[in-house]
Amino acid sequence: MGRVWLLALRDLRLEVRDRAGVLSALTFLAVMLFIMALALGPEEGTLRRAAPGVLWVALAFLATLLSGRAFALEVEDATLDDLLLTPGGKEWVYFGKLLFQMLLLLPFSALALFLAALLFYLPLEKALPLFLTLALGGLGYASVATFYAGLLARLRGREVLLPLLLFSLVVPVVLAGVRATAGLLEGLPLVEVASWWQLLLVFDVVYLTAGALLFPVVMEG
Amino acid sequence: MLKAAHPERPDALTWAFLGLGLLLLPVGLYLALSAPPDVNQGYLARIMYLHVPGAWLGYLAFFVTFLYSLLYLFRQDPRYDRVALASAEIGLVFMGLALVTGMLWARPTWGVYWTWEPRLTTTAILFAVYVGYFLLRGAIEDPELRAKAAAAVGILGFINVPISYMSVKWWRSLHQTQSIDLTTGKIHMDPAMLQALLFNLFVFTLLYLGFVRLRALVAALEAQKEEA
């Protein structure tokens, strides 16, 4: 566990020190939400109805960007093999990279929520359950994204392959996430939304276990 | 479904599957065309005898890919990878068949070729996952890494199969529920139609088995050539 935190915090420190990466991701998120609002607006009803979908698409793009960054520096500096050569299992590399992504993704999704509230007339009194939905979905998304980013890290053309493989695989997560978000915004009782949360949780557990189990096998070569 | 490490030509079992499948295909067609028309849809329902086996084989083939991907990761034997590849390729073809026949069926019954309905959406996603499987295979040159990466996709991608299968129950959608429900074992169908459907399922499964063995053999020959 110590190593997991160490790796995640090191990556986070590199990322923050560099600034360019975090800032460009932030700007990307903001610009994207703005353009979507511009394209769909200015009708309030339309914007509000489109908001869950837009939010999730924005987060999906953002997470893809971040997962690419999680391994980009390791490949650039040729430190990936050193990382994998440390004695013991290799799952911790996966969990460390995943933690790093979640540490960035969580504040970003909170920010996306506020931006969406601003641009898409989202009511924020349900901010907490909404954030929970985003966090659950983000975890499911990041668990697959981290796995694929690691797998593709050493390949040419990974920038295209990553979203291609990723998006088709995480559609269940996005689908459940969009439904839960839409349900919350329509004012459905929490009990009904909870079934989507359960589904999200199931995906999280399945993807997380599968990712952690497969990662060491795939990274060996 | 495995053969010797360096095969030359298809073995007897492959020929048996292929021969029997091709021989029985006209019989299945005859049964399908002579089956009684549906109460609601009339003769239109006969597309079912192509649609259901297509979807069933898609699921089965992806399951076999899942199984052999797991085996490959544990045993690291390239033969397992070749079967996984063969099965995924054939599954993709049959899934495509199910999608196309489904669209042809949807037009007269629902009025549109395509609608964003859970079963259709999840099936299209499933299709996309396995297209990704082949894109990934094409992108990696190192055979060992290629097999590993493909196995990972074959395992992770399979999660969509049960979702696609259960989608008609979970979301109570436009698509009709399973006529033969594998989860409860209940059957909602006229016996004459059921017989024809089961026969077609059997024939298609025979063909699938033959195709997989043949495709795995071709993959083995390709690998041999790659090594040489």
Side-chain angles (χ1 to χ4, degrees):
Chain A
M1 196 60 210
R3 286 202 270 193
V4 173
W5 273 105
L6 206 65
L7 182 63
L9 291 179
R10 182 207 67 165
D11 278 350
L12 199 62
R13 187 178 301 154
L14 285 175
E15 207 55 46
V16 172
R17 210 179 268 169
D18 188 22
R19 272 194 209 95
V22 186
L23 272 179
S24 60
L26 264 178
T27 324
F28 174 74
L29 184 70
V31 168
M32 181 167 162
L33 285 173
F34 185 74
I35 288 180
M36 289 295 238
L38 200 68
L40 293 164
E43 195 91 23
E44 190 181 326
T46 320
L47 281 173
R48 197 171 280 170
R49 235 173 301 125
V54 170
L55 204 57
W56 278 92
V57 169
L59 281 179
F61 284 169
L62 186 73
T64 314
L65 210 72
L66 290 178
S67 67
R69 289 202 65 79
F71 285 92
L73 276 180
E74 308 285 358
V75 174
E76 259 172 50
D77 303 339
T79 47
L80 188 56
D81 288 321
D82 304 342
L83 210 59
L84 292 170
L85 274 176
T86 40
K90 290 175 188 64
E91 295 87 348
W92 70 277
V93 178
Y94 173 75
F95 284 119
K97 292 293 182 191
L98 182 61
L99 186 63
F100 157 72
Q101 278 194 70
M102 287 312 287
L103 286 177
L104 281 178
L105 205 56
L106 286 179
F108 277 15
S109 39
L111 194 79
L113 203 57
F114 281 115
L115 277 174
L118 204 71
L119 293 168
F120 291 83
Y121 303 97
L122 284 195
L124 265 188
E125 62 259 35
K126 287 221 172 124
L128 215 60
L130 277 175
F131 181 69
L132 181 69
T133 314
L134 292 183
L136 278 176
L139 181 61
Y141 198 96
S143 55
V144 186
T146 310
F147 175 74
Y148 272 134
L151 176 67
L152 300 174
R154 286 172 258 193
L155 294 184
R156 270 179 290 118
R158 57 176 171 273
E159 291 84 4
V160 188
L161 262 179
L162 182 62
L164 234 140
L165 285 170
L166 206 54
F167 287 156
S168 49
L169 204 58
V170 292
V171 165
V173 172
V174 175
L175 199 78
V178 170
R179 289 292 172 91
T181 314
L184 281 172
L185 292 176
E186 282 163 19
L188 286 183
L190 280 185
V191 190
E192 273 180 54
V193 180
S195 66
W196 290 111
W197 284 342
Q198 272 173 5
L199 198 61
L200 275 175
L201 207 62
V202 170
F203 284 131
D204 287 357
V205 172
V206 170
Y207 282 142
L208 212 60
T209 354
L213 287 176
L214 290 174
F215 187 83
V217 186
V218 176
M219 293 308 282
E220 248 169 44
Chain B
M1 252 178 255
L2 286 176
K3 280 179 287 285
H6 291 290
E8 290 293 315
R9 47 175 57 85
D11 58 359
L13 204 53
T14 311
W15 285 124
F17 281 138
L18 279 178
L20 206 59
L22 286 177
L23 211 68
L24 291 180
L25 199 59
V27 184
L29 199 65
Y30 170 75
L31 280 179
L33 289 178
S34 63
D38 186 72
V39 203
N40 300 320
Q41 301 186 14
Y43 295 113
L44 199 58
R46 281 183 181 155
I47 204 166
M48 170 183 77
Y49 301 110
L50 210 55
H51 180 67
V52 175
W56 148 250
L57 278 186
Y59 291 151
L60 176 73
F62 295 150
F63 175 69
V64 171
T65 299
F66 167 73
L67 215 62
Y68 277 82
S69 298
L70 271 180
L71 276 173
Y72 176 78
L73 284 188
F74 283 116
R75 303 267 170 79
Q76 308 276 329
D77 187 335
R79 282 183 292 173
Y80 292 118
D81 175 56
R82 292 199 287 264
V83 176
L85 156 79
S87 193
E89 199 168 288
I90 293 155
L92 202 58
V93 173
F94 278 114
M95 217 44 176
L97 181 75
L99 280 173
V100 170
T101 51
M103 283 167 81
L104 291 177
W105 198 358
R107 174 70 189 163
T109 47
W110 300 342
V112 284
Y113 284 111
W114 188 262
T115 160
W116 291 106
E117 175 275 342
R119 177 46 97 54
L120 274 65
T121 313
T122 48
T123 310
I125 293 162
L126 198 61
F127 194 77
V129 168
Y130 288 89
V131 170
Y133 178 89
F134 287 101
L135 282 174
L136 185 69
R137 287 196 84 102
I140 306 176
E141 269 164 40
D142 174 28
E144 209 175 309
L145 182 63
R146 184 203 302 150
K148 273 184 195 163
V153 180
I155 292 167
L156 277 176
F158 183 70
I159 193 176
N160 279 311
V161 170
I163 295 173
S164 170
Y165 183 76
M166 295 304 289
S167 60
V168 284
K169 288 186 120 181
W170 287 349
W171 284 289
R172 289 171 193 273
S173 58
L174 194 60
H175 191 286
Q176 73 173 92
T177 49
Q178 298 97 334
S179 301
I180 305 168
D181 193 333
L182 291 177
T183 51
T184 56
K186 279 190 197 132
I187 293 170
H188 325 271
M189 202 188 269
D190 184 78
M193 289 166 79
L194 182 68
Q195 270 173 14
L197 181 62
L198 285 180
F199 189 82
N200 272 298
L201 281 172
F202 173 67
V203 173
F204 271 67
T205 311
L206 280 180
L207 280 175
Y208 162 76
L209 289 172
F211 284 152
V212 166
R213 296 176 68 95
L214 197 64
R215 180 63 183 91
L217 175 77
V218 173
L221 293 175
E222 280 171 357
Q224 232 170 305
K225 211 176 160 198
E226 209 172 298
E227 275 167 33

